[in-house]
Each structure stands twice: as C-alpha cells, then as structure tokens.
Amino acid sequence: MDVLHSFIVASAIRNLKIDKVSGKPKGRDITLARLGGDETQRQFLHKLAKSFMDNDMGLKYIDIEGLQHEVALRLEEERFIEDLKENGKFKCPNCRLTYKTTGGIKRHMQNKHNHHFPTADIEINPLSKETNIKQAFLKASMLLLDLSDAYAMGDGDRIFNNIKFELLIHADSSHTKYRLWLWRMLAYNYAILSERAAYEYKWNCVVNLTGGLGRNIPNDNMVEIFVHYLKDKMRAMGANVTFKAARVAALALQSEVVIKENLQRASDSRKKSGRRTIGNKSDVPDITQQLLNSAMFKDDIKFSGLGNIRDPFVDPEINKILKWLDKQRDRASIEMQ
C-alpha cells in the first residue's frame, strides 16, 4: 500500500503548492493546530481529499446517473424480449415468426418491422478508448485498501458494499471464480437467507484468532490456515492416519493452535521464520518524491507497454454484466427447486 499512500501524499503536496517532500507551503501555516476549530480542520482535509478523488482518481468522470439510465433501459428491453418467449422460442408479435436467440428476434424486429429498441440510443463513453491508467490504478488500490480495512475491523456493511465494486473489476477481467463467489454472497444476503440469518451472515464473515482490535481475517483465510495445520498433523501421523484420527485432530486443532499462539505471545518465545529483517523506515517519502519528479500527475500521460485497458468504474460493460447475472439467476432458480 506504500504506492497508494505515496500518491495521496504527493497529491496533497501538489495542491498545497509545495515543490518537494521536505518543503513547506508558502504563506499560510497549515499545521492542524493553527487552522482553528474542528470544523475548520475538517473542511481543510475534506478539500484535499476531494481534490485527490476528483482529479487524481477521476471520480468526477463517473456518470452514475448515466449508468443507472443505461441499466434501466437494458432491463426494460430484456423484459420486453422475455415476454415474447413461448415454448423455448421467441415469437414475433407481428408476423408470428419464431427465433431461437434474442439476437435473432431483435434483428428481425428492427429490420422487418422498424422496431426501435431504447438501448440503440446509448452513446459510447468517449473515455472508453482513452482510459487513464493512473486513475484506474488508484481507484482499484483505494478499493483494496478499504476492503482490507473492512475485513480487519469486521465491518459487514463495508464488506458487502465493496462487493458491488469488486464485481465490476472481475466482470471486466472475466474472473468467473471470483464473480461467482461475490454474486453468491449478495444472493445469500439479499434473497436467499432469512432476515436474521442474513444479518448473522454479514456480521460473522471474519474471525479473530489472536485477539486485539483490527486483527480480524476473512473466514476463508482461517479455513486455509487450519487446512494447512491439519495436513501437517496428518503427515506427522504417517501410516497410523485414519479417518477417525483425522477427525479428532481436526476438532482439537483450533483450540490447540490458539493456546499455542497465546503462550508464545505471552512468553515472547515465537519461533523466528528466518526471513530477512525488514527495516522500519518507510518508503513513502522516497516514492512520493519520485512521483513529484515524474510526469505521473499529467492528465495526458501514456503507458505504451500496457496496451488497451478499460477502466471498469468509468466505462463498465453493462450488457455483459447483466447477461452474466441473468445466467446465474436462472441457474440458481433451477438448483434451488
């Protein structure tokens, strides 16, 4: 996260008209203690944060109302086409010809009956061909930072709000495994589970193995950790391993590991990993200075080696996402019968 933090610091330095990391602003003293009351300090920090999010992250280019309008039009078109379906085929309401695919019936109605579909008026986002790589990177990094903090603090609301943004990223990169996992989390919470079960599902998706504030980990990570411990136990049993022995080991493993960790922490006798010691010196000042010296904050900066990259937050493929969600909905309706 050092790179993201460096971008934030560099953005604040540029907005304060400071030339370098060790420099000082000209004129006004911006030390928080000198800015006055809490409200003045809040406004000052809010102004810096808004400038970073609007200009450097490019949030001002995200047209939420336009995306909502496009989704509404596509859903309206989808319902119209679905109403034409009879016995597994789409029947034209004018000439009664049938087609197997939605594309076939749409082309027929447009070419033969001059039917106008509202999605035909949707304009292509002009930013789709000129993606700002820096802004796309910063939005994804900020999402990762907020997601990590949400899991560490066990904040179920933030975890589930971030799922919707994660889906945009994985839909654009066609990561089926992660898309399916995220979609099922939303489906369980909003559609499948009862209100009480959904509340427990949302607020019990993390576990704290060592105690302390902000030290939670996702349940999936906890399972992976204990699967690793269980495999070590079974390998230690050698030829004596049986299903019953593995079951007993699995049931006792969590308590055993927790007791061991607590004793090691209390006696300060943790086994060292043998890895190299990482210095306490932060890399943020050096990275920040390099960013200030570079052309990274120019709006027209290009990265020739990255090719064509779509920003999934500015120009999401709405039609592709809706089609995939429809398939998952149909699959779930069949599996739950």
Side-chain angles (χ1 to χ4, degrees), residues 203-215:
W203 292 99
N204 289 295
C205 55
V206 298
V207 63
N208 192 327
L209 299 177
T210 58
L213 183 65
R215 302 180 69 177

Side-chain angles (χ1 to χ4, degrees), residues 160 184-194 197-199 201-202:
F160 275 79
R184 287 185 174 182
M185 286 185 69
L186 292 176
Y188 279 128
N189 187 64
Y190 294 109
I192 298 176
L193 299 177
S194 65
Y199 182 87
Y201 180 66
K202 175 187 287 189

Side-chain angles (χ1 to χ4, degrees), residues 92 95 97 99 103-113:
C92 177
C95 60
L97 289 177
Y99 292 85
I105 188 65
K106 285 179 64 175
R107 286 190 295 270
H108 168 77
M109 296 188 67
Q110 286 174 326
N111 298 334
K112 299 297 183 180
H113 305 293

Side-chain angles (χ1 to χ4, degrees), residues 17 24 45 56 58 87 125 152 155 203 208 219 251 253 265 276 293 296-297 319 333-334:
K17 311 298 182 185
K24 294 183 179 180
L45 295 175
D56 298 320
N87 299 323
N125 192 326
D155 191 337
W203 292 99
N208 192 327
N219 289 340
L251 293 174
L253 190 58
R265 186 169 60 254
R276 67 182 180 87
N293 295 338
M296 189 61 68
F297 285 93
N319 196 37
S333 64
I334 294 173

Side-chain angles (χ1 to χ4, degrees), residues 78-133:
E78 178 187 338
R79 286 192 291 267
F80 173 77
I81 295 296
E82 195 65 24
D83 291 340
L84 302 179
K85 198 170 187 178
E86 294 182 13
N87 299 323
K89 293 184 178 181
F90 300 97
K91 182 178 291 187
C92 177
N94 299 312
C95 60
R96 313 306 294 173
L97 289 177
T98 59
Y99 292 85
K100 294 182 179 180
T101 63
T102 57
I105 188 65
K106 285 179 64 175
R107 286 190 295 270
H108 168 77
M109 296 188 67
Q110 286 174 326
N111 298 334
K112 299 297 183 180
H113 305 293
N114 295 323
H115 183 85
H116 177 73
F117 289 98
T119 54
D121 296 331
I122 297 176
E123 297 181 358
I124 298 176
N125 192 326
L127 295 173
S128 61
K129 295 182 180 180
E130 296 292 338
T131 299
N132 190 309
I133 306 299

Side-chain angles (χ1 to χ4, degrees), residues 34-254:
R34 301 288 184 88
L35 288 176
D38 293 340
E39 181 60 24
T40 305
Q41 295 178 14
R42 189 196 67 81
Q43 293 177 359
F44 173 75
L45 295 175
H46 179 267
K47 182 179 179 181
L48 290 179
K50 190 175 188 304
S51 175
F52 171 74
M53 290 189 293
D54 286 346
N55 301 319
D56 298 320
M57 288 181 60
L59 295 189
K60 64 182 180 181
Y61 298 115
I62 300 179
D63 184 9
I64 299 295
E65 294 182 358
L67 293 176
Q68 291 175 333
H69 179 64
E70 180 178 351
V71 170
L73 290 179
R74 293 195 183 280
L75 290 176
E76 178 185 349
E77 180 178 302
E78 178 187 338
R79 286 192 291 267
F80 173 77
I81 295 296
E82 195 65 24
D83 291 340
L84 302 179
K85 198 170 187 178
E86 294 182 13
N87 299 323
K89 293 184 178 181
F90 300 97
K91 182 178 291 187
C92 177
N94 299 312
C95 60
R96 313 306 294 173
L97 289 177
T98 59
Y99 292 85
K100 294 182 179 180
T101 63
T102 57
I105 188 65
K106 285 179 64 175
R107 286 190 295 270
H108 168 77
M109 296 188 67
Q110 286 174 326
N111 298 334
K112 299 297 183 180
H113 305 293
N114 295 323
H115 183 85
H116 177 73
F117 289 98
T119 54
D121 296 331
I122 297 176
E123 297 181 358
I124 298 176
N125 192 326
L127 295 173
S128 61
K129 295 182 180 180
E130 296 292 338
T131 299
N132 190 309
I133 306 299
K134 180 198 70 178
Q135 293 175 358
F137 164 76
L138 289 177
K139 284 193 282 286
S141 299
M142 191 64 76
L143 176 62
L144 175 61
L145 178 65
D146 188 65
L147 183 65
S148 300
D149 185 67
Y151 272 110
M153 299 302 296
D155 191 337
D157 282 334
R158 286 166 62 194
I159 291 172
F160 275 79
N161 286 336
N162 285 333
I163 285 176
K164 301 166 187 177
F165 297 102
E166 294 174 73
L167 274 173
L168 293 177
I169 295 178
H170 295 310
D172 186 71
S173 55
S174 300
H175 284 167
T176 303
K177 172 185 175 182
Y178 301 115
R179 276 189 296 175
L180 189 59
W181 176 55
L182 294 169
W183 179 83
R184 287 185 174 182
M185 286 185 69
L186 292 176
Y188 279 128
N189 187 64
Y190 294 109
I192 298 176
L193 299 177
S194 65
E195 185 176 352
R196 178 175 180 176
Y199 182 87
E200 294 180 355
Y201 180 66
K202 175 187 287 189
W203 292 99
N204 289 295
C205 55
V206 298
V207 63
N208 192 327
L209 299 177
T210 58
L213 183 65
R215 302 180 69 177
N216 298 297
I217 62 173
N219 289 340
D220 295 343
N221 290 10
M222 185 269 293
V223 172
E224 292 177 2
I225 291 172
F226 280 97
V227 166
H228 176 72
Y229 286 145
L230 181 58
K231 288 181 178 179
D232 289 342
K233 275 279 189 186
M234 295 176 67
R235 279 194 291 266
M237 294 179 187
N240 297 320
V241 63
T242 61
F243 175 77
K244 183 178 180 180
R247 185 172 181 275
V248 172
L251 293 174
L253 190 58
Q254 181 174 356

